[in-house]
Structure formats: C-alpha cells, structure tokens
Amino acid sequence: MSRYTEAVDVAIVGSGPAGAAYARILSERSPGATIALFEVGPTVTSPPGAHVKNIADPAGRAHAQTRSEGPHAKDSEDRVGGIVKTSQRRARPGTFLLESGYQVEGEEGLPVAAMSSNVGGMAAHWTGACPRPNDSERIALLDSDGTFDELLAEGERLLGVTTDAFDSSPYAELVRDRLAAAEDAGRIASTRVQRMPLAVHRREDGNLVWSGSDVVFGDVTRDNPQFTLFDESLVTRVLVEDGRAAGVAVTDRRTGERAEVRARFVVVAADALRTPQLLWASGIRPEALGRYLNDQAQIVFAVRIRDLEPTAGDGSPGSTGLSEYSGVTWVPFTDDMPFHGQVMQLDASPVKLADDDPAAPGSIVGLGLFCAKDLQASDRLEFSDTETDGYGMPAPTVHYTLTERDEAVIARGKEEIVRLGRAIGEPLDDRPFVMPLGASLHYQGTTRLGAADDGMSVCSTEGEVWGVDGLFVAGNGVIPTATACNPTLTGVALAVNGARAIAARLAD
C-alpha cells in the first residue's frame, strides 16, 4: 500500500518557513482543502519543525543537527559542522555544503553555499532575526497601497516575532546606547539603533523558545485533519499537463517507493538553490530561472565591552544553554548606509569569533555587517542534464562574481564595522574578517517575482510561475530586490500573498 495520498488540493514541496506559511494560511482560510507537504529530510525535533536550540540535552541537539546535514548525513566524529574560516570549506552544524560546482575558475563563486535537509529546513537552525526591509530593500510592486507592510505584519504573526526577549540582558541597553551615540545622527526613528526583532518568546519558566516552522504551522495546521506532512520524501518532478500544474512525482527515501500525487495547485518552497533545481528537472525553464542569484557578503568583528559596571543579572545559561548578556541589537540598512548590522552575544551567534572572557562573562560581543549585492543576471545557477547531486537531482554549478560596486561596499563595510565596534569596546583584533561568500545563508533572487513575463522574473507578485497555471514558488528566492537584512520575514510575507491567492481560487 502506498504511503502517499493519490490526490490533494495543494501539494507543497519544502517545510521551511515559506512552505509552512502556505500550510498555515490555507488551513486558516480553506479548512476543507486537502494539503500534502513533502520534505526531503527527516523529522529531527518534536514537534516537527521546532528549532534545535529548544532541545535542552546537548547530545540530543547535536544528533538533530547531524541528521539535518543532507543526503550523506550521519553521526560521526568527522562531521563537517562548525565555523567557516579562510581557505576552509566547513559548514555550520545542521547544514551541508554543495559537493561540487560551487566555484568556476576566474569567478568568486559561493564556496560555502550551504543547505539543510530536515522538517523545518534552515528555520530549525537559524538566529531568528526578523528585521523589516528598508529603502531599496523594499519591493516596490507591493508597496504602493500598504500591501507590503500588511504582509510583513502577517509574517511577524506567523513567526511569533517579538522585540523584548532580551530585555533582561544586563548589557543589552549599554550596547544599544553606545551604538546609538555613534550611528543615530541623521537617521529617522525607524532606522535608528534598536532591539532586533526576533522570532523568539519567553516561556513562563523564564526560558527562551526560538521559533521554527513549528510556530509557523501553529495548532491550526497541526490539528487540521486535511493536512499531512510526509518527511524523507524527495519530490523529483512537478507534473505539468496542458500548461497547468497537475501534481508531483515523489520518491520515499526510506523505501524507494515512487508515486505520483495529483494536485490542483503545487507550491515549490524548497530553498533558493533547490527550488530552481526542481523546476529545471521538471522541464520548467523560464529565462530568469536561477538568475539574479545573490548572497550577502558578511563582515564580522569582535570587541570586549569596556568599563563594565556590576549588574544584577548574571546572564547564566537557561535550559537550552544560551547565556544572556548583551542581547541582539539591530543597526538597520539604509541606502546611505548600505549595510544591515547585527550585534549579539557570542553564543547566540552562528559564527564563533572568540572565546568569551572568563573574568567577565558576556563581555565579548560579535558584530556582523551584511552587504547588499549589486544584482546582475550573470550571477546564476546552471543545472546539468547529465550530472547529479547526492539526491540524484540535476547537479548545480554556481556562477557568481563581485562587481566593482560590491568591492567598494565591502571595503567601506570593513571601515564601518571597526568604527561601530570601537564605540562599544576594545577590539580583539583591528582587522575585521570577511566571511567566505555563501556564509550568510541568505540566498535570494533565483525565482524572483516581477510585474510581467519579460524574461527578468520567474513568477508574478503572488508567486505563480509564468506560463504554468497553478504552480507557485516560495521562499527567499522570490525576493527581487538586493537586501542586506535577514530575508526570512520577507520570504514568509511573500508566501502569505501566494497562499491567499490559492485560497481565493479554491473558494471559486
């Protein structure tokens, strides 16, 4: 007997925040619709899609991370998880690197481009930062009548975004005040130094809970009898008949069973690397597919907070091992200051910059500046018709170069991060470090939205793929602008727009 349903109203590929947003909005607006969600990776947390930081046991947390590390994931002493350093290709825990094709001779490439395969996707491993885009980061096509801000607010609801999770951190206000003194002059209120909006909330027992796709799903999705989550299920092809999406072909990675699941609507929300891969494998190849690929060059720096006064809080770790000293502070992107700044205590950061100071715990903080990319169609993914990746899907090759403008922005960013760091404390090293390209994990643009099928976009503002009725794409790849801020909130907001469009058509 087949594990899979023969037919559903909506088939969703990918269980990250965007795929989960489709399931949530459809469960709320179309409770009678049948929904099947397919995830290539295993379920590694309870509830499915939860953040691994919420696992109190360190060994259990590490096990969940290693199981997320792709087609060859295994528990072993030689696991690849860890910080990325110059000339080394190492992935952070819970992620895995492209096996090949990450750099073409004569180009910068994305040497540490990485993905996660697990229920919840990268949202089981992320930092939870959910800033709103600003200035040229915003999407003008959705910005004329307040639609974009309403969608962002809905994304914040689904992700459980708060700004007060670290208000009890003893050094949080001190860090913000020092940064504000150095940076706020000339900024409007909304772009001044402030608390980072985070997909985090605090339980009644005082411990932090980080949002994953489980929060996006919510009880309304989990309790929906018409919703089914199929993990360890590789979707190999979108079925298209008479110019319309008709379902998906799927392989059970545990048993090898192959099946076709018919669907009225198909949503591909794999990620910015694998969504275009699946469309390519399905013979759906609009001109812009895989193009305008963009990463955010990431500059990091560490300082020791100077002149610390005794504090009432001790910042001691809670049950998930996260100490709370300096919280997470946001320096918003502006067109005049084209960087997104993120300042956080070391153990909240995915990048380990230094060992903390045992004499003054919490005194060392990390700064990160993310740079907006100079977009170009030549930055792209190409897919092979003969070679395959670890899942047996068309192998990608990354074409990616930095322009003169990119180099100038990075050079300025290195100067700015030292200036901001010195405002907080004493640098551990006067030389900021530029992470290898791909380290941000904020890949975008490969299935970008647009106003018309003009060869420069893959889908409409609602995410429907040009020329294939009923096929929607979702996730960060849909974002058409050059952002510096963390893109998850924007990706979820765009998924809300698409899910509403499907719900309206289901009601017709």
Side-chain angles (χ1 to χ4, degrees), residues 49-362:
H51 200 301
V52 300
K53 280 185 182 177
N54 301 330
I55 301 174
D57 174 47
R61 195 179 314 137
H63 181 62
Q65 290 170 330
T66 55
R67 293 186 66 210
S68 303
E69 292 174 358
H72 311 301
K74 61 181 179 179
D75 288 310
S76 68
E77 294 182 359
D78 61 349
R79 58 176 297 186
V80 298
I83 185 175
V84 178
K85 291 187 176 180
T86 305
S87 78
Q88 294 181 331
R89 294 190 68 239
R90 299 182 62 191
R92 299 172 194 169
T95 72
F96 63 100
L97 301 173
L98 287 177
E99 296 178 46
S100 61
Y102 48 84
Q103 186 176 31
V104 173
E105 186 177 355
E107 300 179 357
E108 282 82 4
L110 295 177
V112 293
M115 298 161 282
S116 293
S117 289
N118 53 272
V119 174
M122 197 74 75
H125 313 283
W126 68 321
T127 62
C130 290
R132 288 194 179 197
N134 184 57
D135 284 356
S136 59
E137 295 180 306
R138 294 178 64 88
I139 300 173
L141 289 171
L142 296 170
D143 219 7
S144 59
D145 59 358
T147 297
F148 192 37
D149 282 327
E150 189 274 328
L151 291 172
L152 290 169
E154 184 70 343
E156 289 165 342
R157 176 181 76 92
L158 298 188
L159 287 161
V161 176
T162 67
T163 57
D164 60 358
F166 285 93
D167 276 2
S168 61
S169 301
Y171 308 143
E173 187 173 357
L174 178 150
V175 169
R176 283 196 301 273
D177 287 347
R178 290 182 177 180
L179 281 172
E183 185 57 32
D184 278 357
R187 286 181 175 248
I188 62 174
S190 62
T191 63
R192 291 174 187 154
V193 172
Q194 57 195 274
R195 298 169 178 83
M196 177 70 76
L198 294 167
V200 181
H201 68 276
R202 195 173 292 277
R203 294 196 315 237
E204 290 184 0
D205 63 7
N207 281 308
L208 294 173
V209 178
W210 297 76
S211 297
S213 287
D214 64 319
V215 171
V216 181
F217 283 129
D219 289 338
V220 68
T221 307
R222 283 187 289 271
D223 295 341
N224 181 0
Q226 307 283 28
F227 170 75
T228 308
L229 169 63
F230 296 101
D231 66 356
E232 298 188 68
S233 296
L234 173 67
V235 173
T236 58
R237 186 163 48 94
V238 176
L239 307 178
V240 179
E241 297 174 358
D242 299 323
R244 177 172 181 82
V248 297
V250 59
T251 299
D252 188 328
R253 282 183 47 79
R254 289 177 290 197
T255 67
E257 176 199 351
R258 296 182 179 181
E260 290 189 355
V261 177
R262 309 293 293 182
R264 295 173 60 187
F265 297 92
V266 175
V267 179
V268 182
D271 55 39
L273 304 180
R274 288 180 283 185
T275 291
Q277 179 189 53
L278 178 55
L279 266 60
W280 178 272
S282 307
I284 303 166
R285 302 176 181 182
E287 184 178 347
L289 185 71
R291 292 188 176 273
Y292 301 96
L293 168 66
N294 67 96
D295 175 42
Q296 298 167 350
Q298 183 179 1
I299 307 165
V300 295
F301 196 56
V303 300
R304 179 178 285 104
I305 305 175
R306 61 176 181 269
D307 306 325
L308 283 179
E309 297 291 336
T311 64
D314 62 4
S316 58
S319 64
T320 58
L322 176 64
S323 301
E324 300 173 37
Y325 291 101
S326 56
V328 186
T329 294
W330 177 26
V331 183
F333 168 96
T334 69
D335 287 342
D336 291 333
M337 181 75 163
F339 315 102
H340 159 74
Q342 188 165 303
V343 182
M344 54 208 310
Q345 79 270 12
L346 289 180
D347 55 358
S349 172
V351 179
K352 185 173 175 57
L353 299 172
D355 293 322
D356 208 345
D357 185 349

Side-chain angles (χ1 to χ4, degrees), residues 377-394:
S378 58
D379 291 329
R380 68 195 188 279
L381 298 170
E382 288 186 347
F383 298 101
S384 174
D385 286 322
T386 57
E387 303 295 323
T388 59
D389 66 9
Y391 287 111
M393 297 294 286

Side-chain angles (χ1 to χ4, degrees), residues 301-306 354 363-365 367 417-432:
F301 196 56
V303 300
R304 179 178 285 104
I305 305 175
R306 61 176 181 269
S363 64
I364 298 177
V365 298
L367 295 87
I417 202 169
V418 172
R419 179 178 67 85
L420 294 175
R422 288 187 178 279
I424 299 172
E426 302 302 328
L428 301 187
D429 189 327
D430 282 337
R431 295 168 298 176

